[in-house]
């Protein structure tokens, strides 16, 4: 059974079909990139997969459960328990430290655990920046805090919407390298990106156009590393 499966998923606003009968699967431990031009439905689809919005039609199966028909309350619980979200805009709380931002995600899930939160920051190379506020962190560091926050509750799937969109080339490589390590550990990743180089790092790419799956491709040379920089 696939970890994630969309069956004839549509999102309809009046006469506009933002998504039009989208079908695809993501297997446990797979790394999938989603691409497409502006207006192709990428963000709409990610919001539906991430339990931030509901499909108008179709099924969204996450670990065998159709979340398309769940109540708003249940969707909140699903986001909390099963999904790690990473956004282009970091959405960090400005008056909380990096450590406290990570612990906030724990608070909504179960109980804050400073030791676990520090371990998550160490995992993304930010242990020494734990007591710093977002304004004291670079864009790349803020995004790595977001990765730590997404990981802290051990989600079944990580959804990242343009996670390198605001980063320079060096920080882009650091974040992608984190994704590579997560994938090697068995984490399932779905990453929306406009950057072909970031998409090529994934095992498989799904291209949306006009709200539909235009085509899919397998990366035959999958390494999990960007071509323009190599970090050891």
């Amino acid at each position: 059974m696939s970890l994630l499966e969309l069956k004839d998923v549509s999102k309809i606003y009046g006469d506009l079909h933002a998504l039009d009968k989208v079908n695809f699967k993501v297997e446990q431990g797979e790394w999938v990139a989603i691409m497409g031009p502006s207006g192709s439905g990428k963000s709409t689809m990610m919001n539906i997969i991430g339990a931030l919005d509901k499909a108008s039609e179709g099924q969204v199966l996450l670990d065998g459960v159709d979340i398309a028909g769940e109540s708003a309350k249940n969707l909140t619980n699903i986001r909390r328990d099963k999904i790690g979200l990473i956004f282009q805009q970091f959405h960090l709380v400005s008056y909380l430290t990096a450590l406290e931002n990570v612990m906030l995600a724990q608070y909504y899930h179960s109980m804050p655990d400073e030791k676990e939160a520090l371990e998550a920051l160490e995992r993304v190379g930010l242990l020494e920046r734990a007591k710093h506020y977002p304004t004291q962190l670079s864009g790349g560091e803020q995004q790595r805090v977001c990765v730590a926050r997404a990981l802290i509750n051990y989600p079944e799937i990580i959804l990242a919407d343009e996670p390198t969109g605001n980063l320079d080339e060096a920080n882009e490589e650091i974040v992608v390298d984190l994704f590579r390590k997560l994938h090697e550990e068995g984490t399932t990743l779905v990453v929306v990106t406009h950057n072909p180089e970031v998409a090529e790092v994934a095992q498989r790419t799904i291209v949306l156009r006009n709200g539909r799956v235009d085509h899919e491709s397998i990366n035959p040379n999958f390494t999990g590393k960007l071509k323009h920089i190599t970090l050891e």
Side-chain angles (χ1 to χ4, degrees), residues 43 70 75 116 124 141 198:
S43 293
E70 295 288 347
L75 288 177
E116 280 194 355
V124 299
E141 288 171 336
V198 173

Side-chain angles (χ1 to χ4, degrees), residues 34 37 68-69 76 91 112 210:
I34 308 290
T76 298
H91 298 302
N210 298 322

